[in-house]
Amino acid sequence: MGVSLKDIAERAGVSLATVSNVVNGYRPVGERTRQRVQAAIDELGYTPNLSARHLRRGRTGLIALAIPELTNPYFAELAEVAIHEAGRLGYTLVMENTAADHEAESKLLNGSQRHVIDGLILSPVRVGREEVLARAADTPLVLIGEGVHDVPHDHIAIDNVAASRLAIRHLVESGRRRIAFVGAGRGDDRHSAHLRVRGYREALAEAGLAYRAELVAVTARFGRRDGVHAMRQLLALDEPPDAVLGYNDLIAIGALRAAVDAGRGVPEDVAVVGIDDIEEGRFSTPTLTTIAPAKEEIARLAVRRLVARIEGAEVTGPLTVQTPFRLIARESTTGAPGRAGT
Amino acid sequence: MGVSLKDIAERAGVSLATVSNVVNGYRPVGERTRQRVQAAIDELGYTPNLSARHLRRGRTGLIALAIPELTNPYFAELAEVAIHEAGRLGYTLVMENTAADHEAESKLLNGSQRHVIDGLILSPVRVGREEVLARAADTPLVLIGEGVHDVPHDHIAIDNVAASRLAIRHLVESGRRRIAFVGAGRGDDRHSAHLRVRGYREALAEAGLAYRAELVAVTARFGRRDGVHAMRQLLALDEPPDAVLGYNDLIAIGALRAAVDAGRGVPEDVAVVGIDDIEEGRFSTPTLTTIAPAKEEIARLAVRRLVARIEGAEVTGPLTVQTPFRLIARESTTGAPGRAGT
DNA sequence: CTGAAAGCGCTAACAT
DNA sequence: ATGTTAGCGCTTTCAG
């Protein structure tokens, strides 16, 4: 095994507690003693055994970020910020991939990881409000995204109804009249899709446009492939749409590609908008108009809240925080050739 | 705090050791006793405290996967498989983002995480062979990718020279003569780029084509943006290239977009090939021809090797494993409209 | 097949 | 400013 506190204590001729204090700085240590101890640490190459520390402290310093898919750039970008922020606060972030699987989400929620993880940031997809309420774990939980609402936990998300409305308004202003939505959920299992569809409907109503069920395409998942399939069907309609809002950027990019395959011009024949502002959409052909949530803010806030709860700090302010978002108009709706990367 | 072994022992009227044996199954336990213990466990809702277990066992069950960027889909796809495989083997995988930073890689290598992590899978970018040789940590290390060669550690990678050659051969066969490489490294700090450039040069020589330094574009990093910048400069040459091999798919996609911006047809005016086979390239316009490494195999193998070393198993076979790869020809070189998603 | 007890390395309460 | 010590929850000899 490695070098322990005891080894250092013996080498430096001091007690265990003193070494611990040099390492952790909880109590003041005399300058001369500190130097002797530090020298011993350096010579012997001591690093604290974190398992022991965790056992003693009752905390592990690990927090988990559970997302439905790592390969969705939106979550990868979120994770990158979260990892950094966690590190800054002295925590290690463990990524958990739920694969949008109900059991995986449920297990995480109910602390299958108890004693391993001090807290959980979850982006729920399948798990419902009741399950979150009935959760049998005592570690702090922060929710991100729109999967679950109105639960006694911190919750960071954008206002999805408003985001969706902003996107539709942009399409209406550019003269579109037959606007489709791609990526709705089936039944109750995808709450955020419902909210985005709601925004879509509200904005149509505001603009005096009729809602047509055949223009709302359900998809099984949230990938490019799903966007392609759904879009093919929409384009096969007698009266195909002249614009599409994707549930997210990946679906929008799939829709975009399906339009190209079908020989339709984007945006001349059909305009496309997504939600997420993933980097891919800044370099696609055409570049993708999108709703950009403040991703850094979401990730940072989620981590900070969680850590604050873990450390028992007074957390003021409302449980639910709505982070800002904005529309970024690019070629897929404006047609104006932009400069890639912006 | 939670329920401990002691609580279960008292409840079931047995000793600590017996409960431990029911939980771990190291020694046989009488059927009646087992049932009584199991009942107590279920009633009280016991989960083992892993910190204590780790302290006692001297291992944590955590392994780290250190990659230069989470937002590069290639690594995200790799990570997804690695997380799954680690879970299957009873380990938790922690992602570490080195951000292609020398210090971050070096710290990880030298066990700043000692006692936290049982083993490390590293995709080195900045750290060199000497540093890996001089590493001051005793946990097993598995290298992936082409950053470092000829060190006494397991190493999983594709043959980058051969991969690059295959790509160039494909371009030559389709009649290209002025072939550029985008994404070379500057100086010694990016080994895998050197290998890919070497393959490029070898294939040019084989085809009887002259090597021209102005057709090898150096980039600072490996993103879409870098591809765009480099490609702009190549297209501004008096004799611009009629084909480009990108260091990876992201760079190739940037190059592709820059060509479009400059009004060049892809592949009519300039063909584009990447390396990695990220999903994005299956849906871009045009879809991207690429060299596809066996990502699942790389990830799975890396995890398995690492775990085998951690558990002290006999590991047979060579230290370095070269995983297979293949060329996937898509629109960016063939021009033939493909069906998106394949 | 079961029990008693040592001790992994650390922190924190209590002494000095 | 420094030392002593109990004990976090578990695994694992050694005894029976």
Side-chain angles (χ1 to χ4, degrees):
Chain A
M1 290 289 325
V3 184
S4 77
L5 272 192
K6 201 169 136 210
D7 300 321
I8 305 296
E10 280 169 9
R11 172 71 153 245
V14 298
S15 77
L16 275 182
T18 300
V19 181
S20 175
N21 282 321
V22 169
V23 173
N24 296 294
Y26 291 142
R27 297 193 302 193
V29 174
E31 190 47 33
R32 288 187 43 108
T33 326
R34 132 161 297 116
Q35 291 189 0
R36 223 147 18 99
V37 171
Q38 190 58 55
I41 288 176
D42 293 342
E43 278 171 52
L44 271 50
Y46 168 75
T47 43
N49 181 321
L50 296 191
S51 292
R53 178 178 285 176
H54 295 159
L55 172 58
R56 181 60 231 233
R57 289 199 191 157
R59 296 203 278 102
T60 63
L62 256 48
I63 60 181
L65 172 64
I67 57 179
E69 38 178 7
L70 202 47
T71 48
N72 182 331
Y74 174 72
F75 291 113
E77 292 174 20
L78 218 57
E80 213 158 75
V81 179
I83 286 179
H84 185 257
E85 185 69 12
R88 229 179 50 77
L89 299 176
Y91 284 74
T92 300
L93 189 134
V94 179
M95 310 261 314
E96 295 283 345
N97 195 338
T98 63
D101 174 62
H102 187 271
E103 195 190 331
E105 289 185 8
S106 172
K107 271 191 174 171
L108 240 21
L109 202 56
N110 289 302
S112 71
Q113 298 272 33
R114 209 177 336 185
H115 296 306
V116 191
I117 276 170
D118 291 340
L120 173 66
I121 301 172
L122 174 68
S123 173
V125 179
R126 303 289 179 197
V127 116
R129 180 165 178 271
E130 294 69 25
E131 286 172 275
V132 173
L133 286 172
R135 148 183 153 93
D138 40 7
T139 46
L141 169 69
V142 173
L143 298 167
I144 56 177
E146 297 294 317
V148 170
H149 278 272
D150 303 318
V151 287
H153 296 284
D154 292 297
H155 182 189
I156 324 281
I158 64 171
D159 178 343
N160 271 266
V161 177
S164 191
R165 271 170 51 188
L166 178 58
I168 300 299
R169 225 177 297 139
H170 170 68
L171 291 170
V172 169
E173 277 165 13
S174 63
R176 309 291 167 166
R177 290 296 171 267
R178 273 187 76 75
I179 303 175
F181 184 96
V182 177
R186 202 188 307 274
D188 274 351
D189 66 338
R190 213 191 304 165
H191 199 69
S192 57
H194 288 305
L195 293 178
R196 292 179 190 182
V197 171
R198 192 194 301 165
Y200 161 80
R201 296 188 66 154
E202 288 182 11
L204 287 185
E206 270 173 30
L209 296 172
Y211 167 79
R212 293 173 202 282
E214 79 265 24
L215 289 183
V216 174
V218 169
T219 60
R221 308 190 94 256
F222 342 86
R224 300 173 187 86
R225 198 172 308 275
D226 303 284
V228 168
H229 291 322
M231 189 64 171
R232 276 194 197 131
Q233 307 204 351
L234 287 172
L235 292 175
L237 290 174
D238 286 340
E239 290 185 87
D242 61 6
V244 190
L245 169 59
Y247 165 78
N248 66 13
D249 277 1
L250 287 185
I251 285 181
I253 281 168
L256 206 149
R257 175 66 211 198
V260 171
D261 279 348
R264 315 292 167 101
V266 178
E268 309 86 80
D269 300 320
V270 54
V272 178
V273 186
I275 298 180
D276 278 354
D277 188 29
I278 62 177
E279 195 184 76
E280 182 174 348
R282 304 208 268 271
F283 293 87
S284 59
T285 303
T287 52
L288 182 68
T289 294
T290 192
I291 301 290
K295 281 186 283 257
E296 293 80 17
E297 195 173 331
I298 294 173
R300 250 194 299 268
L301 221 55
V303 171
R304 284 203 201 136
R305 278 283 173 112
L306 188 67
V307 168
R309 299 280 180 199
I310 290 169
E311 301 185 345
E314 279 289 320
V315 178
T316 57
L319 230 42
T320 295
V321 178
Q322 291 201 332
T323 47
F325 60 87
R326 67 205 171 88
L327 176 89
I328 302 181
R330 301 205 189 95
E331 296 165 359
S332 70
T333 59
T334 66
R339 202 174 151 88
T342 46
Chain B
M1 289 292 325
V3 183
S4 76
L5 271 192
K6 201 170 134 207
D7 300 322
I8 304 296
E10 280 169 9
R11 174 71 153 243
V14 298
S15 78
L16 277 182
T18 300
V19 181
S20 176
N21 282 321
V22 169
V23 173
N24 296 294
Y26 291 143
R27 295 193 304 192
V29 174
E31 189 46 35
R32 288 188 43 108
T33 326
R34 129 160 300 114
Q35 289 189 1
R36 222 148 17 101
V37 171
Q38 190 57 55
I41 288 176
D42 293 341
E43 277 171 51
L44 271 51
Y46 168 76
T47 42
N49 180 321
L50 296 190
S51 292
R53 178 177 286 178
H54 296 158
L55 172 57
R56 182 60 231 235
R57 291 215 249 233
R59 295 203 277 103
T60 62
L62 256 47
I63 60 181
L65 171 64
I67 57 179
E69 37 178 8
L70 203 47
T71 47
N72 182 331
Y74 174 72
F75 291 113
E77 292 173 20
L78 218 58
E80 214 159 74
V81 179
I83 285 180
H84 185 257
E85 185 70 10
R88 228 179 50 78
L89 298 176
Y91 284 74
T92 300
L93 189 136
V94 180
M95 310 262 313
E96 295 282 343
N97 194 339
T98 63
D101 175 62
H102 187 271
E103 196 191 330
E105 290 184 8
S106 172
K107 271 191 174 169
L108 240 21
L109 202 56
N110 289 300
S112 70
Q113 299 271 34
R114 208 177 336 187
H115 296 306
V116 193
I117 277 170
D118 290 340
L120 172 66
I121 300 172
L122 173 67
S123 172
V125 179
R126 303 290 179 198
V127 116
R129 179 165 178 273
E130 295 69 26
E131 285 172 276
V132 173
L133 286 173
R135 147 185 155 93
D138 41 8
T139 45
L141 168 70
V142 172
L143 298 167
I144 56 177
E146 297 294 317
V148 169
H149 279 273
D150 302 319
V151 287
H153 295 285
D154 292 296
H155 182 189
I156 324 282
I158 63 171
D159 178 343
N160 271 265
V161 177
S164 192
R165 270 170 51 189
L166 178 58
I168 300 299
R169 225 176 297 139
H170 170 69
L171 291 171
V172 169
E173 278 164 13
S174 63
R176 309 292 167 165
R177 289 297 172 265
R178 274 188 76 76
I179 303 174
F181 183 96
V182 178
R186 202 188 307 275
D188 274 350
D189 66 339
R190 214 190 304 165
H191 200 69
S192 57
H194 288 305
L195 293 178
R196 292 180 189 181
V197 171
R198 191 194 302 165
Y200 160 81
R201 295 187 68 155
E202 287 182 12
L204 287 186
E206 271 172 30
L209 297 172
Y211 167 79
R212 292 173 201 285
E214 79 265 26
L215 289 184
V216 174
V218 169
T219 60
R221 308 190 95 255
F222 341 87
R224 300 173 186 87
R225 198 173 307 276
D226 302 284
V228 168
H229 290 323
M231 189 64 172
R232 277 196 195 129
Q233 307 203 352
L234 287 173
L235 292 175
L237 291 174
D238 287 340
E239 290 185 86
D242 61 6
V244 191
L245 168 60
Y247 165 78
N248 65 14
D249 277 0
L250 287 184
I251 284 182
I253 281 167
L256 206 150
R257 174 67 211 199
V260 171
D261 279 348
R264 314 293 168 102
V266 177
E268 309 86 80
D269 300 320
V270 55
V272 178
V273 186
I275 298 179
D276 279 354
D277 187 29
I278 62 179
E279 195 183 77
E280 182 173 348
R282 303 208 268 271
F283 293 87
S284 58
T285 303
T287 51
L288 182 69
T289 294
T290 192
I291 301 290
K295 281 185 284 255
E296 293 81 17
E297 194 172 332
I298 294 173
R300 249 195 299 268
L301 221 56
V303 171
R304 285 203 200 135
R305 278 284 173 111
L306 189 66
V307 168
R309 298 280 181 199
I310 290 170
E311 300 184 346
E314 279 289 320
V315 178
T316 58
L319 231 41
T320 295
V321 178
Q322 290 201 333
T323 47
F325 60 87
R326 65 203 172 90
L327 176 89
I328 302 181
R330 300 206 190 94
E331 295 164 358
S332 70
T333 60
T334 66
R339 203 174 150 87
T342 44

